[in-house]
Amino acid sequence: MGGSAGAAETVDRWRTGVLTLLRATSPLPPPTRWMWTADTVLAVVLAVCTVGAARAQDTTTVVIPPVPIPVPGTEPPVPPPPVVWPQDLGSVQPWQLALAALTALPLVVRRRYPLVAFWAVIGTTLLFNQHLGTGDTTAYTFLSCVVAAYGAAVYSPYRLRALTSLVAGAGLIAASPEENFPYVTPGVVPFLVLLGVGLGANAIHVWKQRVHALQERQEAATRLAVERERARIARELHDVVTHNVSVMVIQAGAARKVMDASPERAREALLAVEAGGRTAMAELRQVMGLLTLVGDDPDPAADPDLAPQPGLDRLTALVDRVRATGVAVELTVTGTRGPLPAGADLAAYRVVQEALTNAVKHASGARVRVAVDHTPAAVHVEVTDTGGTPTAQSGSGAGRGLIGLRERLTVHGGTLRAGHRPTGGYRVHAVIPYEKGGETP
C-alpha cells in the first residue's frame, strides 16, 4: 500500500510539473556573461564550419554509374565499376556564403530569445539547403537546427508555443530529407546517441529547476498573503479594541470621581462601560467569527455574531457612544450616498472611529465635528477637533492607527491626510472614490 501511494504521489507530482510547464511561465534569469560567451563561440564555430564546407563545394565530383543493357536469352551482365566524372559547378556566390553564416549566427541569442532564434535558424537552413543542395554543409546546418530546437524547448517561457514550434519545425525539415538530413555513418551513431542523452538529461535538469523556482515563488506569494492578512487582522483588532477600551476607561474614570457625590451619575457611567464592553465583544466576535468560517458551513446572516461589519450607516450609534463620555461631538452628513463597496464603507467607518478615539485620548475637553460629504465621484470624511489636554491613557502608540488606515484606504484607491490645524486642534480628512461603473442611486 505504501509503495503504491508513493508511486501515485510521484505521478501526481510529475503531472503537476508537466501541466505547469505547458502554461506560460516567467522567463528564466537573464543569461550570464559566461552564457553569452559560450553561445557566441558556438554560433561562430558552426557558422565558420558551414561557410568553409560551402566553399569546399565549388568543385564537386559526380558519380555516373553506367547502365548495363541486358541481352535477351542470356544472363544479366555484371555491371562494371562506376565511372567518376569530375564536374565544376562554379563558385559559390557571396550571398550563399552569407546565408550559410546566418544558419548558425542566430544561436547567439538562443537563451534570451529562444523562439526567435529557432525560427531564424530553421528559415535560413531551409533556404540555404534549397539553393546549394546536399553536401558537407548539411551536417553543420542540421546541428544548428538541433541546438536551436534544444534552446526553444528549454529556455522559452511560452511552453505551448515552443512545443508547437518544435513540431512545425521538425515537419518542415523532414519534408525534404535529402536536402536537410546529413548522411550518418555507423561510427557516428554512438556519438549521436550520447549527444541526445546528454541534451535530454540537461533539459530535464533545467525543467526541474524551473518547477522548483515556480514552487518557491508560489510559497513566497502565499507567505506574503498570510502576512498581509495578519496585518489586516491586526489593524481591525486595533480599531475595535482601542476605540471601545478608550471609551470604557473614560467612563470608568468619570464613575470613580462622582461615585460618592452622585451615585446616579456613577451608575449611568458604569452602564455606559458595560454597553461599551458588550459592543467591543460583539465586534471582536464578528472579526474572529469571519476568520473561522469553514467551507459552506454557516450563513453569516443567520448568526448575530457574524453580522455585517459596520459602515457609514452606523455613524450615529458611534457618535452617541462617544457623546456619552462627555465629549461634544457634532455629526453632519450631506449629499446622496453612492455605490461604496463594503470594504471601503468599513474603512470610512474606521476613519471616524480612529479619529474620535484619538480625540478622546489626546484632546480631552475639545469639541469634535464629524462631516461626511457624498459627492458624485467620492465620499469625503472629515473629523476635526478644537484641541484639548491629553488624558492619562495618551501614549507613544499614537499615530499607528492612522498609518494602518492610510494603508487600508490605499487598497480602495482612497487617500488620508491628517495633521494639526493652524487654529489649533487636529484634522483628519479621507477621500474614498465610489466603485467604478456604479450609478448613484
Side-chain angles (χ1 to χ4, degrees):
M1 293 294 292
S4 60
E9 182 179 355
T10 303
V11 172
D12 290 340
R13 189 185 306 113
W14 276 97
R15 185 188 301 119
T16 303
V18 171
L19 292 177
T20 301
L21 290 175
L22 286 178
R23 293 193 296 266
T25 60
S26 58
L28 291 173
T32 61
R33 182 176 299 179
W34 184 91
M35 292 179 180
W36 280 113
T37 303
D39 290 340
T40 302
V41 171
L42 176 63
V44 171
V45 169
L46 287 176
V48 170
C49 292
T50 307
V51 172
R55 290 178 59 86
Q57 291 184 204
D58 284 357
T59 301
T60 61
T61 301
V62 179
V63 179
I64 305 177
V67 180
I69 302 175
V71 178
T74 63
E75 294 183 359
V78 178
V83 180
V84 180
W85 296 89
Q87 181 179 1
D88 188 3
L89 298 180
S91 60
V92 179
Q93 300 298 321
W95 67 269
Q96 292 176 323
L97 296 178
L99 196 60
L102 290 177
T103 60
L105 290 181
L107 296 178
V108 174
V109 295
R110 71 185 184 96
R111 301 178 198 258
R112 188 67 180 87
Y113 305 102
L115 291 183
V116 174
F118 172 76
W119 280 113
V121 170
I122 293 295
T124 52
T125 296
L126 293 174
L127 187 61
F128 174 74
N129 290 339
Q130 183 180 5
H131 284 83
L132 198 63
T134 59
D136 296 337
T137 57
T138 310
Y140 300 110
T141 56
F142 183 77
L143 184 58
S144 298
C145 292
V146 171
V147 175
Y150 172 81
V154 174
Y155 301 110
S156 175
Y158 308 103
R159 312 309 307 161
L160 190 57
R161 298 182 190 176
L163 182 60
T164 305
S165 297
L166 291 177
V167 174
L172 292 175
I173 294 294
S176 301
E178 298 83 2
E179 296 179 357
N180 300 319
F181 284 96
Y183 176 72
V184 180
T185 61
V188 182
V189 173
F191 170 76
L192 294 179
V193 172
L194 292 177
L195 178 63
V197 171
L199 292 178
N202 187 67
I204 294 175
H205 175 68
V206 173
W207 286 352
K208 286 184 177 180
Q209 286 183 329
R210 176 164 287 175
V211 171
H212 182 66
L214 287 174
Q215 292 175 347
E216 287 185 345
R217 283 195 292 269
Q218 290 175 353
E219 292 175 358
T222 302
R223 287 195 299 269
L224 179 61
V226 170
E227 292 174 359
R228 288 180 176 175
E229 184 64 16
R230 286 176 179 173
R232 187 191 69 81
I233 295 172
R235 289 195 299 266
E236 197 70 23
L237 293 177
H238 169 274
D239 295 337
V240 171
V241 174
T242 303
H243 171 77
N244 290 285
V245 171
S246 298
V247 173
M248 291 166 62
V249 170
I250 294 295
Q251 292 284 16
R256 177 181 55 82
K257 292 180 180 179
V258 302
M259 185 174 295
D260 296 332
S262 179
E264 187 62 28
R265 292 181 59 189
R267 179 176 178 276
E268 293 178 357
L270 292 175
L271 289 175
V273 171
E274 180 182 3
R278 292 181 183 277
T279 302
M281 291 301 298
E283 293 195 21
L284 286 175
R285 282 196 296 268
Q286 291 175 14
V287 175
M288 302 308 297
L290 291 174
L291 294 177
T292 55
L293 283 177
V294 179
D296 300 327
D297 237 357
D299 181 7
D303 190 340
D305 289 343
L306 302 182
Q309 292 287 311
L312 292 178
D313 55 345
R314 294 176 59 179
L315 283 184
T316 303
L318 174 64
V319 170
D320 289 341
R321 287 201 302 270
V322 177
R323 283 191 187 128
T325 65
V327 180
V329 184
E330 176 187 355
L331 174 63
T332 304
V333 179
T334 58
T336 302
R337 180 170 176 171
L340 197 64
D345 195 20
L346 174 61
Y349 176 87
R350 296 302 186 201
V351 168
V352 179
Q353 186 182 57
E354 178 67 20
L356 292 177
T357 302
N358 290 338
V360 170
K361 292 171 58 177
H362 309 293
S364 177
R367 296 182 60 84
V368 184
R369 181 176 182 271
V370 180
V372 179
D373 182 22
H374 296 280
T375 66
V379 56
H380 296 253
V381 178
E382 184 180 70
V383 182
T384 58
D385 63 70
T386 58
T389 58
T391 63
Q393 52 179 324
S394 299
S396 60
R400 295 181 182 176
L402 292 178
I403 294 175
L405 286 175
R406 185 173 288 108
E407 296 176 355
R408 185 199 296 261
L409 291 175
T410 302
V411 174
H412 301 285
T415 58
L416 178 70
R417 295 180 181 178
H420 293 280
R421 302 169 63 195
T423 57
Y426 204 78
R427 175 178 179 267
V428 177
H429 183 258
V431 179
I432 308 172
Y434 291 132
E435 190 174 14
K436 294 182 179 180
E439 296 180 359
T440 303

